[in-house]
Amino acid sequence: MNRSSALAIFIVAVAASGAYLLTIDPEAEKRASGPPIIQVKVPVLDGAALEGEAIFNAKCATCHGSDAAGKDEVAPPLVHKIYEPSHHGDMAFLLAVRQGVRAHHWPFGDMPPVEGLTERDVAMIVAYVRTLQRENGIH
């Protein structure tokens, strides 16, 4: 292998390493950690709530934890009086997904918008969260 071939391989390797490092999400490790903030009683789910659970687990649980119990130092529980329907109506969830949310109730920082969810998806997530809330005494 001559010097120019070795140099070309080196440049490609450096460029590939740089591209890889740019794709690493610095918050991913943080989101993966954090014990649940609360214990959530989960009822038998059906219909929209059951569908919402699957969507929640795919798009929201990384930060908000299993059963929307929150994750310490990551994101708040959605099964909490703050998120009861009279304080955060269903539209608040849709707006949070579309626009993100500036931190205001919790010290976890801002919530970014969530890509890839339709209005119907959010409605199913809300059905799931509201079912969990009712089961846990939040009306």
Side-chain angles (χ1 to χ4, degrees):
M1 178 182 316
N2 63 31
R3 286 179 60 104
S4 60
S5 294
L7 181 59
I9 291 171
F10 175 76
I11 290 171
V12 168
V14 169
S17 297
Y20 171 75
L21 290 174
L22 289 175
T23 64
I24 294 175
D25 181 355
E27 296 294 311
E29 186 176 331
K30 181 180 174 185
R31 285 192 307 267
S33 63
I37 294 173
I38 62 170
Q39 295 298 314
V40 176
K41 292 186 292 184
V42 180
V44 174
L45 301 171
D46 61 7
L50 185 60
E51 186 175 345
E53 178 189 37
I55 300 166
F56 181 91
N57 287 339
K59 289 293 203 172
C60 310
T62 300
C63 295
H64 287 286
S66 298
D67 305 322
K71 283 188 178 180
D72 194 31
E73 298 186 25
V74 180
L78 299 177
V79 180
H80 191 281
K81 187 167 179 61
I82 286 175
Y83 300 105
E84 70 184 351
S86 65
H87 190 251
H88 283 89
D90 295 354
M91 184 57 76
F93 287 86
L94 180 61
L95 293 174
V97 166
R98 282 185 182 167
Q99 302 170 358
V101 179
R102 285 188 23 222
H104 58 286
H105 290 299
W106 304 91
F108 300 115
D110 297 343
M111 176 185 151
V114 180
E115 300 289 325
L117 290 174
T118 66
E119 283 188 35
R120 183 183 184 286
D121 291 337
V122 176
M124 298 300 106
I125 291 168
V126 169
Y128 170 62
V129 170
R130 297 298 189 211
T131 299
L132 293 175
Q133 289 174 338
R134 284 190 300 276
E135 180 68 17
N136 289 272
I138 300 167
H139 301 281

